[in-house]
Amino acid sequence: MPELILAIDVGTTSTRAAVLTPDGRIAGLASAPLKSIAPRPGWVEQDAARVWTSTRRVIAGALSAAGRTAADLAAAGITTQRASIVVWDRVTGEPLSPMVVWSDLRGAPRAAGLAEAGFMVVPQQSATKLEAVLDHVDAPRDRIAWGNIDSFILFRLSGGGVHVTDRSQAWPSGYLGFPDLGWNARLIEHQGLDAAWFPTLTDTWGPLGVTAASVLGAQIPITADIADQQSALIAHGEAAGTAKITWGTSATFDLATGSAFMFPAPSAPPLLVSSVAGDTRWCVEGMVLSAGSGLDWLRSTCGLGGHARFETLAASVSDTAGAAFLPALQGLGAPHGDPSRRGALSGLSASVGRGHLARAGLEGLAFRAREMVEHIYGATDFAPPQALGVDGGLTANDLFLQVLADLLGRPVRRHATPEATLLGAAIGAGRGAGLLAEAEADALRRFDDPVTPAIGADESASRFAAWRAAVYG
């Protein structure tokens, strides 16, 4: 009997797929890069057709790496970047416009107008940009379908059989109503949109559809659809008070609040983690919008080499020689909430070399994380854990983990499964297919030994204050 689970992660900079065994081991993994373009300042787009092609490629690669076929799969789950808009032809499945990525800021003026009309939205949400996307769509109204990228991938995986999204994906779009958690008919009407273009809302896990044999080679139950940051949180745990930072294109801090809906600060909004059979779980979230993308810019612009060379350079010095980096290429997230702010590289002198710039990049991310973490814990009644969970590509860098622990002033613990976002999707898919009970899911949550600060709290605080003075003035 098939018991393997396929997990698919369509991120901002890559697509990944993994075949996982019932004990959470990754039997096969494949990834492929995704390319974004910036046709105008503040705009970010991708080619949705290429995203779909990439998704098919990594699924085939993961199955090949595992030495299995689709017939060996018991279930499939998907997790994706949130609030990235795709409009497609519901008959052919072909995209009708570029995919507008979540970090795109073209919706900032519209967000202000919607706020004046009484709708609480922010520029990153789909609701601020969908009208602008549809203005350039030339298709009969009855052929239009839209959704975040999860809806598009599920539509294509099912051969056009389902047009759905779960509420963890729908909430960041800005279109989900509260407290009923249905589509906000008042906003849809205000924007003059057709409700028939919207996906059907589903539970986060459960029977969502089946893959088309013509697409995957077999009809496999699709049993989970989870927003990427919430999927990573599920991989860390779901109890109220569980917290993690996922380090990818952005750095996202999520603090689980259980069944409690909390909105402690404008830059720490509530996010829906999962909703199954009426049981809805929440978290509060803060973001460093340019984390991995900020380091990528620093590496390429300053000629600091690839990831291994960058780490070697950063390890070659013990300080930054006064250089300070503010990672804010797409605005400044929590606690500032300033989409207009841009990044900064300050404190440059003749004594600053490449190693100092590399170390300044790592320290800039750690200090931004400290701002975010202290802000959110200060705005809630939750106590910080003994060691803060971390996952994502940057956490493979041991030096960065030590810098992070030092400058956060607290231990951090790396998830033992590097692909925690994929693990969360697999946990959801296993639950949705009836393959995993909650206790069994908890056994899959394993962590490396904590990394503890190597400097004292006073030194950490002093360096934090000096960095803030350098980048904010």
Side-chain angles (χ1 to χ4, degrees):
M1 180 178 176
E3 59 179 8
L4 299 177
I5 296 173
L6 173 68
I8 303 162
D9 178 10
V10 182
T12 308
T13 57
S14 69
T15 51
R16 299 176 297 164
V19 175
L20 292 98
T21 62
D23 63 356
R25 181 177 61 86
I26 294 179
L29 175 70
S31 65
L34 291 176
K35 181 181 179 181
S36 295
I37 62 170
R40 299 184 190 179
W43 289 27
V44 187
E45 295 179 352
Q46 292 181 358
D47 184 329
R50 290 187 177 182
V51 174
W52 166 237
T53 299
S54 179
T55 301
R56 294 194 69 175
R57 185 180 301 121
V58 297
I59 292 171
L63 287 167
S64 176
R68 300 300 187 100
T69 69
D72 297 313
L73 299 173
I78 182 172
T79 180
T80 70
Q81 54 176 294
R82 307 166 303 184
S84 292
I85 298 169
V86 185
V87 178
W88 69 92
D89 187 316
R90 68 170 62 252
V91 175
T92 67
E94 293 300 316
L96 295 171
S97 71
M99 183 174 86
V100 176
V101 178
W102 63 271
S103 57
D104 183 288
L105 295 176
R106 74 186 66 182
R110 185 57 173 146
L114 289 171
E116 290 178 2
F119 300 104
M120 299 302 296
V121 292
V122 296
Q124 288 80 13
Q125 292 181 309
S126 312
T128 70
K129 294 172 276 193
L130 180 57
E131 295 163 286
V133 175
L134 289 168
D135 283 344
H136 297 281
V137 169
D138 183 17
R141 289 177 63 88
D142 62 353
R143 296 278 291 266
I144 292 174
W146 97 274
N148 294 326
I149 183 62
D150 68 302
S151 295
F152 176 66
I153 297 297
L154 289 170
F155 186 91
R156 298 303 296 266
L157 275 174
S158 65
V162 295
H163 179 201
V164 300
T165 191
D166 101 299
R167 288 171 174 82
S168 74
Q169 299 274 18
W171 182 263
S173 76
Y175 281 113
L176 204 64
F178 184 80
D180 65 297
L181 300 183
W183 291 124
N184 187 334
R186 190 169 71 90
L187 176 54
I188 293 169
E189 182 180 359
H190 177 80
Q191 293 185 318
L193 305 178
D194 189 337
W197 298 341
F198 283 65
T200 299
L201 292 167
T202 69
D203 282 352
T204 304
W205 49 78
L208 309 184
V210 295
T211 64
S214 60
V215 174
L216 207 60
Q219 290 187 308
I220 307 302
I222 304 170
T223 54
D225 177 22
I226 314 172
D228 56 358
Q229 299 300 332
Q230 284 57 58
S231 184
L233 179 60
I234 287 170
H236 284 258
E238 297 168 76
T242 300
K244 62 83 184 172
I245 304 178
T246 296
W247 291 92
T249 302
S250 60
T252 308
F253 175 61
D254 288 286
L255 171 61
T257 59
S259 60
F261 177 90
M262 299 175 61
F263 201 156
S267 59
L271 270 291
L272 196 153
V273 178
S274 64
S275 185
V276 180
D279 180 14
T280 301
R281 304 298 176 95
W282 299 90
C283 67
V284 293
E285 182 175 286
M287 293 187 73
V288 178
L289 299 174
S290 306
S293 60
L295 288 191
D296 287 344
W297 176 87
L298 192 64
R299 287 190 303 104
S300 61
T301 303
C302 299
L304 304 181
H307 295 290
R309 174 62 175 160
F310 184 88
E311 183 173 359
T312 298
L313 284 170
S316 70
V317 296
S318 59
D319 58 42
T320 69
F325 178 55
L326 176 66
L329 306 183
Q330 291 294 132
L332 199 54
H336 308 277
D338 183 0
S340 66
R341 184 66 185 252
R342 293 295 176 261
L345 186 58
S346 62
L348 302 183
S349 69
S351 63
V352 174
R354 290 184 177 183
H356 301 111
L357 291 176
R359 193 170 191 94
L362 298 183
E363 291 194 1
L365 296 189
F367 284 132
R368 280 289 294 118
R370 179 167 179 156
E371 286 189 313
M372 176 172 63
V373 169
E374 289 186 350
H375 169 66
I376 291 178
Y377 277 119
T380 67
D381 293 330
F382 289 97
Q386 289 186 342
L388 180 62
V390 295
D391 65 86
L394 274 172
T395 64
N397 182 327
D398 290 340
L399 174 62
F400 175 64
L401 285 189
Q402 187 62 63
V403 169
L404 185 61
D406 289 348
L407 302 184
L408 278 177
R410 67 180 71 252
V412 297
R413 62 174 189 170
R414 177 170 49 197
H415 204 292
T417 301
E419 310 293 342
T421 306
L422 282 167
L423 178 62
I427 288 173
R431 285 180 171 179
L435 301 173
L436 282 177
E438 187 166 350
E440 293 170 317
D442 197 52
L444 306 183
R445 299 174 174 122
R446 298 183 287 267
F447 301 88
D448 294 345
D449 291 338
V451 177
T452 58
I455 63 175
D458 289 345
E459 181 181 349
S460 179
S462 175
R463 291 170 62 179
F464 181 42
W467 174 83
R468 286 181 57 84
V471 298
Y472 297 129

